[in-house]
Amino acid sequence: MSPLVLGVFQYMLPNGFSGQSWKHPDNRGVDYLTLDHWLGLARKFEDAKLDFLFFADSYGYPTVDGRIPDVAFRDAMNFPNADPMLVITALAAATEKLGFAVTASTVFEEPVANARRFSTLDHFTGGRIGWNIVTGSSQAAAAELFGREMIAHDDRYDRADDYLDLSLKLWESTWEPGAVRADKEAGVYVDPARVHPLVHQGPYHRSTGMHVVEPSPQRSPVLFQAGSSGRGRTYAARNAECVFVQGTTVEAVAATVADIRSQAVGFGRDPDGIKILVGMTVLTAPTHDEAIAKRAEMWAMSSAEGAAAVYAGNTGINLLELDPTRGLSQIEVSGEQGQSNIDRFRGADGRAEPTVGAILDEIRKRGLRGGIMAGAPSEVVDEMQDYVARTGVDGFLLEPHLTPGTYDDFIDLVLPVMRERGLARTEYQGDTLREHLFGAGQRWLGSGHPGAAYRAGMVPQGA
Amino acid sequence: MSPLVLGVFQYMLPNGFSGQSWKHPDNRGVDYLTLDHWLGLARKFEDAKLDFLFFADSYGYPTVDGRIPDVAFRDAMNFPNADPMLVITALAAATEKLGFAVTASTVFEEPVANARRFSTLDHFTGGRIGWNIVTGSSQAAAAELFGREMIAHDDRYDRADDYLDLSLKLWESTWEPGAVRADKEAGVYVDPARVHPLVHQGPYHRSTGMHVVEPSPQRSPVLFQAGSSGRGRTYAARNAECVFVQGTTVEAVAATVADIRSQAVGFGRDPDGIKILVGMTVLTAPTHDEAIAKRAEMWAMSSAEGAAAVYAGNTGINLLELDPTRGLSQIEVSGEQGQSNIDRFRGADGRAEPTVGAILDEIRKRGLRGGIMAGAPSEVVDEMQDYVARTGVDGFLLEPHLTPGTYDDFIDLVLPVMRERGLARTEYQGDTLREHLFGAGQRWLGSGHPGAAYRAGMVPQGA
């Protein structure tokens, strides 16, 4: 088995993933508004040769029946938070190799402004930036905050297609290599013959003009996406370079991975040109019993009330008002928002429909996203290997219970075992994030990617 | 005369202010895409105890008759550029006191997203951030790039009023002091009784919900504005804490300053609660003759073609197509865009109408904004004192010919003379940008500011 891709998952907020872990005495998430907190984490992850630090983000927060429940305030559930994009240059100045991925929404950000931000970050990180494309907020609160109507789920993906198409044209088609000469003696900063203003007339977005930022090391940021719904998987198969999948069971994740790779082939892409990661909270300790005790401690720190608030914020459904002994089929579910978080508890994936009580318990124990592995280091690595073998994922996005403790344990205890087995790198493969994922020299979007067509005939400078 | 406010003006692009100064061998503007360039400047300005680094910004670039002229590419006129907001945290990590001001447009940025960005920056800078409110782009290119119609000048200010009103409600009204307890033992991160979701139903912007960022040291960023038009002065008088005025003559600047302060009183504000700065390129050297030679060298580096491109990009008017011996009255001018840059050459300010040839010469020599002072250090300081006495400005926004050379000269030669005369500070007055401008303890918006009304009854923590 070759080395796995290893990213670190964080929100820029005081809380961790499980409902109430901010309260743990060893959790330093409460320092999230200090630069030192993030600088320390970034240096730690780079020392460990992890591939990237991934910032999830959303403008929303949990609401239940249109109101923010007290538990959301008390336990800082997705909220308060801050804008992680703004801290990237500070982290870049303190590191040399670590990649970064930042979330930005195709609903709430203007495409031209967003393209300029990622080009700016790609310059200042030296080609270490990725964009986690979120095609809408699953939280009604964000739409209300922006004074917008919620956009239907599939329409959001049509908009997101058009948005990405415009973004790729800006990054890939407007500047030829060599357009920037910066030749003081000749008096030519940009060679006018090598720039190409665009005209984009899409169904949702129009733009006429030049991408204002000169080409950055990667041109397009590495494209991340987290879509597990049907339409989301199609979007990922066409556009994403790194996909973050969710799933309740090994079988469900395996099916999603197979579907994405198969659809990618249909789009003319190399199926291995997409790295697929699954979110995982890895709780480890020198012995099995200590690790299991950590998991029990984590579970003990959460409540059904908090779990219900998180779920309602994503789906609009207040589980506490339902019959806990029956499943979600007891109500009409529109699926307009938070679809994947509804689908996964509907009894899809070949499972019997779980009861509302079981759903609450599951969310209480692990939040809405990834899985949990708990055990001694070699047990955990065994489980990771088994997981990879059975699902076909390329690696893991490491979710915290405690920051930085969960990562310290992983780095100190799990990574050495992974390295012994050839499952973790001891050095970065290149200088840019895309090279970390796809190998030295792969600075630009792969040739099968739709963005590559926009730079027909261009080759990287120095290549 | 008390110490003056001294800010540094920069765009995040390779060129300086005068048309072609990027080509000068000593100009390091071409390093603008490296963090080291900006880190070095920020440390230099902090060592000199300058108040703040101000980043002008725009999504636009010069177009002439709808096309980007070759000279704009060759001489990097406003373009290519990068997003300066993204570099602030890197600079904050390398400094302790220097303030920062960043431009954001009320036309091109969403108010909720913009408010979150500035709150984030205020946290990570420890209260050292200011927002330069731009109420629209004067450049048609930006509107085309965003696929938007240009918005009429006065309507833009009505929108900007509504935008700022929403922003101030988010920053000032939603979180009471003490709302964030972060008390792990009590299990209370936010006290739900001390937060107040808002409902904003303005003529242009609607928003319902919570400001997602907990209160930052200054709550609202320091509010900068650069408006010299009639409507712009009214906006500044009501809202701005620091105004950047433009003007061709001492008399015109004096009249603008008097008008802004008088209107501020009409809005119930302390007229000295607004710091008014004028843009100035200060060229100095040990002797008078050397300084004058620097000015001649700067003038020699620019062309009428470049001046025409800059002017056309701001106003839509191609001066090269007009009769150079007559004034702007030879054509119909709508004044919809770049109004102040049309007005100032119309023969207003009590001047005879300049010819198109004279306009081109003036722009060629100094760009579209501030003035130039050239002389030995004591001559320059004499001129600054005279300028302040005659206009009532509170200080200067220092514009570069060469970066960093123009600033090095100012710091090494002019500042010591200013300090001898009590015109420049030898230490910062406080920790936050607002304290640098208004004195120790003045962390929040002043009591006469419209934003202060939104925090009725609140007092700063620790005050």
Side-chain angles (χ1 to χ4, degrees):
Chain A
M1 202 172 274
S2 51
L4 303 181
V5 176
L6 293 172
V8 171
F9 184 102
Q10 283 274 293
Y11 274 104
M12 188 165 268
L13 46 69
N15 210 352
F17 237 137
S18 51
Q20 280 102 338
S21 62
W22 75 272
K23 285 184 289 202
H24 195 289
D26 296 337
N27 197 342
R28 297 317 310 160
V30 292
D31 299 332
Y32 79 108
L33 290 173
T34 68
L35 284 175
D36 282 346
H37 175 73
W38 297 108
L39 292 168
L41 288 174
R43 289 191 187 105
K44 181 191 303 280
F45 301 144
E46 175 158 291
D47 287 345
K49 317 295 181 194
L50 301 182
D51 291 303
F52 58 87
L53 169 55
F54 175 103
F55 281 108
D57 193 30
S58 162
Y59 287 106
Y61 40 77
T63 50
V64 176
D65 302 330
R67 202 183 146 271
I68 305 167
D70 284 358
V71 66
F73 284 113
R74 285 202 313 268
D75 281 319
M77 294 183 150
N78 287 357
F79 166 75
N81 59 41
D83 188 337
M85 184 178 286
L86 294 168
V87 84
I88 299 299
T89 60
L91 307 187
T95 54
E96 291 182 0
K97 298 280 192 173
L98 182 69
F100 305 97
V102 189
T103 300
S105 158
T106 58
V107 172
F108 296 120
E109 313 297 345
E110 286 275 356
V112 166
N114 187 64
R116 183 175 183 241
R117 290 190 186 108
F118 277 99
S119 290
T120 300
L121 290 178
D122 203 47
H123 277 294
F124 285 123
T125 60
R128 295 187 277 146
I129 198 72
W131 170 25
N132 179 41
I133 307 170
V134 170
T135 56
S137 171
S138 58
Q139 298 184 308
E144 294 197 357
L145 203 53
F146 278 73
R148 304 263 190 91
E149 303 297 321
M150 291 287 290
I151 300 170
H153 187 263
D154 279 5
D155 186 50
R156 272 195 245 138
Y157 277 103
D158 292 338
R159 283 179 172 270
D161 273 331
D162 189 32
Y163 190 111
L164 184 62
D165 195 36
L166 169 55
S167 306
L168 291 169
K169 284 180 186 171
L170 289 165
W171 289 318
E172 300 291 338
S173 78
T174 52
W175 296 81
E176 284 183 35
V180 177
R181 287 177 51 190
D183 183 335
K184 291 185 175 197
E185 289 191 14
V188 178
Y189 192 82
V190 174
D191 178 354
R194 295 193 178 190
V195 289
H196 309 285
L198 65 83
V199 177
H200 177 81
Q201 295 277 3
Y204 300 95
H205 298 288
R206 291 178 302 152
S207 180
T208 303
M210 270 302 291
H211 185 45
V212 295
V213 191
E214 56 187 89
S216 61
Q218 299 185 120
R219 290 193 162 240
S220 296
V222 177
L223 301 173
F224 285 67
Q225 204 237 351
S228 292
S229 70
R231 187 68 177 79
R233 290 198 297 267
T234 302
Y235 192 87
R238 180 177 183 271
N239 300 312
E241 301 178 86
C242 191
V243 181
F244 173 31
V245 300
Q246 310 170 2
T248 45
T249 62
V250 166
E251 292 73 23
V253 170
T256 300
V257 169
D259 182 40
I260 290 173
R261 296 210 201 278
S262 153
Q263 288 199 54
V265 172
F267 285 116
R269 298 183 65 192
D270 175 359
D272 297 322
I274 306 180
K275 298 297 182 187
I276 304 180
L277 311 188
V278 67
M280 195 61 64
T281 302
V282 179
L283 300 173
T284 194
T287 69
H288 174 86
D289 288 352
E290 290 169 283
I292 298 303
K294 283 186 180 182
R295 189 180 64 185
E297 181 188 59
M298 179 177 86
W299 284 348
M301 295 191 75
S302 59
S303 69
E305 185 193 10
V310 167
Y311 189 77
N314 273 272
T315 63
I317 299 168
N318 185 357
L319 295 175
L320 295 179
E321 292 179 347
L322 305 183
D323 179 346
T325 67
R326 296 169 57 205
L328 283 177
S329 58
Q330 68 187 281
I331 51 165
E332 281 287 323
V333 172
S334 75
E336 283 284 309
Q337 49 171 312
Q339 192 173 40
S340 65
N341 287 319
I342 293 169
D343 286 347
R344 65 191 269 191
F345 296 113
R346 264 183 173 161
D349 311 347
R351 300 194 308 169
E353 185 181 68
T355 64
V356 164
I359 294 171
L360 274 172
D361 194 53
E362 183 169 333
I363 299 169
R364 185 179 67 74
K365 286 182 173 168
R366 68 176 202 186
L368 273 174
R369 279 163 220 253
I372 300 173
M373 293 179 180
S378 63
E379 291 174 316
V380 165
V381 178
D382 289 347
E383 195 173 351
M384 291 171 80
Q385 281 188 286
D386 181 62
Y387 197 102
V388 169
R390 292 170 64 193
T391 60
V393 299
D394 299 287
F396 296 92
L397 202 46
L398 302 168
E399 297 171 351
H401 160 45
L402 304 180
T403 299
T406 304
Y407 301 115
D408 288 335
D409 292 341
F410 186 89
I411 291 167
D412 295 343
L413 302 174
V414 175
L415 265 188
V417 179
M418 290 183 73
R419 289 197 171 122
E420 279 170 23
R421 303 189 194 177
L423 295 172
R425 295 200 176 81
T426 53
E427 197 40 79
Y428 287 99
Q429 302 192 86
D431 297 319
T432 64
L433 175 55
R434 194 168 274 116
E435 288 170 296
H436 298 349
L437 297 176
F438 297 105
Q442 300 291 314
R443 294 191 159 206
W444 285 9
L445 278 172
S447 58
H449 193 278
Y454 290 126
R455 53 162 206 263
M458 302 182 192
V459 290
Q461 281 180 280
Chain B
M1 201 172 275
S2 51
L4 303 181
V5 177
L6 293 172
V8 172
F9 184 102
Q10 284 274 294
Y11 273 104
M12 187 164 270
L13 46 70
N15 209 352
F17 237 137
S18 50
Q20 280 102 338
S21 62
W22 75 273
K23 285 185 288 202
H24 194 289
D26 296 337
N27 197 343
R28 297 315 312 160
V30 292
D31 299 332
Y32 78 108
L33 289 172
T34 67
L35 284 175
D36 282 346
H37 176 73
W38 298 108
L39 291 169
L41 288 174
R43 290 191 187 106
K44 180 192 301 281
F45 301 145
E46 175 158 291
D47 288 344
K49 316 295 181 194
L50 301 182
D51 291 304
F52 59 87
L53 169 56
F54 175 104
F55 280 110
D57 193 31
S58 162
Y59 287 104
Y61 40 77
T63 50
V64 177
D65 302 330
R67 202 183 145 270
I68 305 168
D70 284 358
V71 67
F73 284 113
R74 285 202 314 268
D75 282 319
M77 293 181 151
N78 288 358
F79 169 73
N81 58 42
D83 188 336
M85 184 177 286
L86 295 168
V87 85
I88 299 299
T89 60
L91 307 187
T95 55
E96 292 182 358
K97 297 279 194 174
L98 182 70
F100 304 98
V102 189
T103 299
S105 158
T106 58
V107 172
F108 295 119
E109 312 299 344
E110 286 276 356
V112 166
N114 186 65
R116 182 174 183 243
R117 290 189 186 109
F118 277 100
S119 290
T120 300
L121 290 178
D122 203 47
H123 277 294
F124 286 122
T125 61
R128 296 188 276 145
I129 198 70
W131 170 26
N132 179 40
I133 307 169
V134 171
T135 56
S137 172
S138 58
Q139 297 183 310
E144 293 197 358
L145 203 53
F146 278 72
R148 304 264 191 92
E149 304 296 321
M150 291 286 291
I151 300 169
H153 188 264
D154 279 5
D155 186 50
R156 271 196 247 138
Y157 278 103
D158 292 340
R159 283 177 171 273
D161 273 331
D162 189 32
Y163 191 112
L164 184 61
D165 195 36
L166 169 54
S167 306
L168 291 169
K169 284 179 187 171
L170 290 164
W171 289 318
E172 301 291 338
S173 79
T174 52
W175 297 81
E176 284 184 35
V180 177
R181 288 177 49 189
D183 184 335
K184 291 185 175 195
E185 290 192 15
V188 178
Y189 191 82
V190 173
D191 178 354
R194 296 193 179 190
V195 290
H196 309 285
L198 65 82
V199 178
H200 177 82
Q201 294 278 2
Y204 300 94
H205 298 287
R206 291 177 303 152
S207 181
T208 302
M210 269 303 291
H211 185 45
V212 295
V213 191
E214 55 187 270
S216 61
Q218 299 186 120
R219 290 191 161 242
S220 296
V222 177
L223 301 172
F224 286 68
Q225 203 238 351
S228 293
S229 70
R231 187 69 177 80
R233 289 198 298 268
T234 302
Y235 191 87
R238 179 178 184 273
N239 300 313
E241 301 177 86
C242 191
V243 181
F244 173 31
V245 299
Q246 310 171 1
T248 46
T249 64
V250 166
E251 292 74 21
V253 170
T256 299
V257 170
D259 182 40
I260 291 172
R261 295 210 201 278
S262 152
Q263 289 199 54
V265 172
F267 285 115
R269 297 183 65 193
D270 175 0
D272 297 323
I274 306 180
K275 298 297 181 188
I276 305 180
L277 312 186
V278 67
M280 195 61 65
T281 302
V282 178
L283 299 173
T284 194
T287 69
H288 174 86
D289 288 352
E290 291 168 282
I292 298 303
K294 283 186 178 180
R295 188 179 65 186
E297 182 189 60
M298 179 177 86
W299 284 348
M301 295 190 74
S302 59
S303 69
E305 185 194 10
V310 167
Y311 189 79
N314 272 272
T315 63
I317 299 168
N318 184 358
L319 295 174
L320 294 178
E321 291 179 347
L322 305 183
D323 179 347
T325 67
R326 296 169 58 204
L328 284 177
S329 58
Q330 68 186 284
I331 51 165
E332 281 284 326
V333 171
S334 76
E336 282 283 310
Q337 49 170 312
Q339 192 173 40
S340 64
N341 288 318
I342 293 170
D343 286 347
R344 65 192 270 192
F345 296 113
R346 262 182 173 163
D349 311 346
R351 301 192 307 169
E353 185 181 70
T355 65
V356 163
I359 295 172
L360 275 171
D361 195 52
E362 184 170 333
I363 298 169
R364 185 178 67 74
K365 287 181 173 168
R366 69 176 200 185
L368 273 174
R369 278 163 219 252
I372 300 173
M373 292 179 180
S378 63
E379 292 175 315
V380 165
V381 178
D382 290 346
E383 194 174 349
M384 291 171 79
Q385 282 188 286
D386 181 63
Y387 196 102
V388 169
R390 291 171 65 195
T391 60
V393 299
D394 299 287
F396 297 92
L397 202 46
L398 301 170
E399 297 172 350
H401 161 45
L402 304 180
T403 297
T406 304
Y407 301 114
D408 288 335
D409 292 341
F410 185 89
I411 290 166
D412 295 343
L413 303 173
V414 175
L415 265 188
V417 179
M418 289 182 74
R419 290 196 170 123
E420 280 170 21
R421 302 188 195 179
L423 295 172
R425 294 201 175 82
T426 53
E427 198 38 79
Y428 288 100
Q429 302 190 85
D431 297 318
T432 64
L433 175 54
R434 194 168 275 116
E435 288 171 296
H436 298 349
L437 297 177
F438 297 105
Q442 300 291 314
R443 294 191 160 207
W444 285 9
L445 279 171
S447 58
H449 192 279
Y454 291 125
R455 54 162 206 263
M458 302 182 192
V459 291
Q461 282 180 281

